């Protein structure tokens, strides 16, 4: 029983094939370029915001602003809830990364239950707060990161990925006699 219905991804496949033809780059190269650029646009602001917050000493104040929930029964707006969620996720991320690599004031290999002293009276402190701020900034920049990665992918593919790909496959090509 064969179905003549097009797959759910046919529209995307056709659009990507047209993009590949229009930019003159192979589709796998475009996809790889997007993935690399997407990660680079995450790492650069993560490092930049972390060291800027550390240098200016503002990480604790900004992050704790979002972690302080209103005392009265007023509901939080969508943006406040989102920032609070990112701060909570960032705190967990900073703990995992800090314990794995021995950074942000954590001991390398320290287990999660060995009493985190990075919260002082319910507030984040030190490099953990700076890491949480950087994590939240990267999350908030996702639309910009995706747009920038999409825009730069064809040029990155032609200028970086394709020359490397050609150098790698060159030894495997048959030589003309």
């Amino acid at each position: 029983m064969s179905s003549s219905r097009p797959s759910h991804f046919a529209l995307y496949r056709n659009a990507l094939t047209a993009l590949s033809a229009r930019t003159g780059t192979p589709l796998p190269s475009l996809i790889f370029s997007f993935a690399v650029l997407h990660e680079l646009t995450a790492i650069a602001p993560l490092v930049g915001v972390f060291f800027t917050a550390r240098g200016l000493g503002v990480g604790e104040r900004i992050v704790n602003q979002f972690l302080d929930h209103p005392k009265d029964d007023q509901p939080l707006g969508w943006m406040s809830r989102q920032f609070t969620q990112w701060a909570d996720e960032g705190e967990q991320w900073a703990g995992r990364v800090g314990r794995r690599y021995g950074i942000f004031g954590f001991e390398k290999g320290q287990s999660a239950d060995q009493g985190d002293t990075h919260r002082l009276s319910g507030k984040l402190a030190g490099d953990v707060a700076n890491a949480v701020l950087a994590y939240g900034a990267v999350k908030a920049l996702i639309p910009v990161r995706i747009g920038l990665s999409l825009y730069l992918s064809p040029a990155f593919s032609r200028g970086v990925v394709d020359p490397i790909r050609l150098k790698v496959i060159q030894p495997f090509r048959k030589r003309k006699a």
Side-chain angles (χ1 to χ4, degrees), residues 109-160:
Q110 172 185 357
S111 67
D113 61 344
Q114 288 182 344
D116 290 335
T117 58
H118 299 91
R119 272 198 181 251
L120 303 174
S121 69
K123 298 188 180 295
L124 286 177
D127 279 348
V128 173
N130 296 328
V132 169
L133 178 63
Y135 178 89
V138 168
K139 288 290 192 177
L141 289 172
I142 283 177
V144 174
R145 291 176 42 223
I146 290 174
L148 191 62
S149 298
L150 285 170
Y151 180 73
L152 293 175
S153 288
F156 187 78
S157 177
R158 284 189 302 269
V160 177

Side-chain angles (χ1 to χ4, degrees), residues 19 39 46-47 49 52 54-55 81 87-88 98 105 113 125 138 165:
L19 176 66
E39 293 306 314
L46 185 73
V47 171
V49 170
T52 300
R54 181 190 233 186
R81 282 193 316 267
D88 291 340
D113 61 344
V138 168
R165 179 182 61 87

Side-chain angles (χ1 to χ4, degrees), residues 6 9-20 27:
F9 299 108
L11 180 65
Y12 300 113
R13 189 178 314 119
N14 294 339
L16 288 172
T17 304
L19 176 66
S20 175
L27 185 58

Side-chain angles (χ1 to χ4, degrees), residues 25-154:
T25 56
L27 185 58
S29 177
L30 271 176
I31 293 170
F32 181 75
S33 296
F34 174 81
V36 169
L37 288 170
H38 185 68
E39 293 306 314
L40 287 175
T41 58
I43 293 169
L46 185 73
V47 171
V49 170
F50 175 82
F51 284 109
T52 300
R54 181 190 233 186
L56 297 175
V58 296
E60 291 178 39
R61 284 182 293 204
I62 294 172
V63 170
N64 288 322
Q65 181 71 30
F66 291 109
L67 292 178
D68 288 340
H69 300 291
K71 306 297 184 247
D72 50 8
D73 290 332
Q74 283 196 331
L76 293 174
W78 178 85
M79 198 63 148
S80 294
R81 282 193 316 267
Q82 193 62 54
F83 284 142
T84 300
Q85 178 184 350
W86 288 339
D88 291 340
E89 289 174 8
E91 183 180 4
Q92 293 169 9
W93 170 81
R96 282 192 313 271
V97 171
R99 284 187 288 276
R100 181 175 188 144
Y101 298 107
I103 55 177
F104 306 139
F106 289 95
E107 294 294 323
K108 187 172 185 173
Q110 172 185 357
S111 67
D113 61 344
Q114 288 182 344
D116 290 335
T117 58
H118 299 91
R119 272 198 181 251
L120 303 174
S121 69
K123 298 188 180 295
L124 286 177
D127 279 348
V128 173
N130 296 328
V132 169
L133 178 63
Y135 178 89
V138 168
K139 288 290 192 177
L141 289 172
I142 283 177
V144 174
R145 291 176 42 223
I146 290 174
L148 191 62
S149 298
L150 285 170
Y151 180 73
L152 293 175
S153 288

